[in-house]
Amino acid sequence: MKIKNCMEDFVFQHLDGFLEQNQSVCKCEQCKTDIAVLALNRLKPCYVTTEKGDLYTRLELYETENEVDIFIALGKAIDIVEANPRHVKR
């Protein structure tokens, strides 16, 4: 296994759910990527190199305190991107 940031996977797993709840947010790839990057920059990375480490880290990320931190970071990132989208309007 290569080096993997489990936090990145977790953020992308929850991003679509957040976007469904926020109908006014653009869902283009540029905006989705910007939201994920802004959220990840606010969160502590969780790097692993083994399958066992990946499993333990994923279980830890589902703890309430960690989920709340991730949801707050996603919410703030959505607000920022919604106010300042970088995509070209068509």
Side-chain angles (χ1 to χ4, degrees):
M1 177 180 221
K2 295 181 180 182
I3 295 174
K4 178 180 179 180
N5 181 1
C6 292
M7 186 63 77
E8 185 175 338
D9 291 344
F10 202 84
V11 165
F12 277 104
Q13 280 178 339
H14 289 82
L15 181 57
D16 287 331
F18 265 77
L19 292 176
E20 286 177 20
Q21 294 174 1
N22 294 282
Q23 296 299 320
S24 62
V25 179
C26 177
K27 293 160 183 62
C28 75
E29 285 304 310
Q30 180 69 56
C31 288
K32 287 172 75 169
T33 303
D34 287 347
I35 291 166
V37 168
L38 285 169
L40 285 166
N41 282 333
R42 293 178 177 264
L43 297 165
K44 180 182 170 195
C46 297
Y47 294 106
V48 297
T49 58
T50 65
E51 295 293 330
K52 186 176 181 180
D54 184 39
L55 178 63
Y56 285 126
T57 301
R58 287 181 182 278
L59 290 173
E60 185 178 298
L61 288 175
Y62 278 104
E63 291 179 4
T64 303
E65 180 181 321
N66 292 323
E67 275 193 320
V68 169
D69 291 342
I70 293 163
F71 296 158
I72 289 170
L74 278 170
K76 288 180 180 180
I78 287 171
D79 290 343
I80 291 168
V81 171
E82 186 175 25
N84 305 289
R86 292 190 319 136
H87 64 266
V88 177
K89 293 189 178 188
R90 297 175 192 181

